[in-house]
Amino acid sequence: MDQIPLVSEEIEGGAKFLEEFDRGFPVAAAVWLKEPDARRWHLYFASATVTEENRHDARQEIVRIARKMPASFFSLSQVNLIMMGHPIAQRTLAVYQRHSLPIATVYPVDSFGDLEVEAAYIYPPLKTAAA
C-alpha cells in the first residue's frame, strides 16, 4: 500500500485547526500518528473541557472549522477527537511532562498509547492548555 508522508501542509493545517478549536475547547494534547497499515497520518487531540455531555457540540465545531480550511491541509477523516482518559491522550501528556517541547517533535516509535504506530508528530502544548 502506498503511504503518504506527513507534509508541511498537514502540519501547518493541523496547527491552524488546533488553534481554532482551542478557542472553544482548550486543547490539552495533540499528535499526528502514522499507523503501519494506514495510508495517511491521523490527527488525535483531546480537550479537558470535552465531556460526554458536550461531545456532540465539539464534533460540530470540528466540522465547522474543517469546512473553513483549504482542502489541501488535511481531510476531516484524518481528525480524531479523543477523551482525556484515552491512552493516546495520556501518552501525549506524559511526553509533555517528561520533555520541554518548544517546537513540534517527531518521534519514531512502534507504539503510542495502545496504538501500534510507525511515527508520532507531537505538537507542543497550546498556550491556553498550559495556562
Side-chain angles (χ1 to χ4, degrees):
M1 177 183 292
D2 288 338
Q3 296 180 353
I4 299 173
L6 186 64
V7 294
S8 61
E9 288 86 6
E10 288 173 320
I11 295 167
E12 293 168 14
K16 289 179 182 179
F17 172 87
L18 293 167
E19 287 172 12
E20 182 73 22
F21 188 80
D22 187 67
R23 291 183 181 147
F25 299 91
V27 175
V31 59
W32 282 101
L33 296 176
K34 173 65 180 73
E35 297 174 56
D37 295 330
R39 186 167 180 258
R40 304 190 72 141
W41 289 70
H42 288 89
L43 177 63
Y44 292 86
F45 62 100
S47 169
T49 62
V50 175
T51 64
E52 289 301 327
E53 291 76 30
N54 68 1
R55 191 173 183 146
H56 178 74
D57 295 336
R59 288 183 189 274
Q60 286 183 316
E61 182 67 358
I62 291 168
V63 172
R64 183 192 69 77
I65 296 166
R67 286 185 178 157
K68 291 182 0 183
M69 298 187 69
S72 63
F73 280 161
F74 58 84
S75 166
L76 185 57
S77 65
Q78 292 174 268
V79 176
N80 300 283
L81 174 63
I82 56 177
M83 301 305 282
M84 291 296 293
H86 191 284
I88 293 172
Q90 292 300 304
R91 173 68 193 262
T92 305
L93 293 170
V95 170
Y96 290 165
Q97 289 177 345
R98 268 185 273 142
H99 304 283
S100 174
L101 299 173
I103 59 171
T105 305
V106 176
Y107 286 90
V109 294
D110 53 12
S111 67
F112 200 91
D114 62 351
L115 189 64
E116 183 180 345
V117 298
E118 292 177 358
Y121 184 92
I122 303 173
Y123 286 102
L126 277 81
K127 288 182 173 72
T128 57

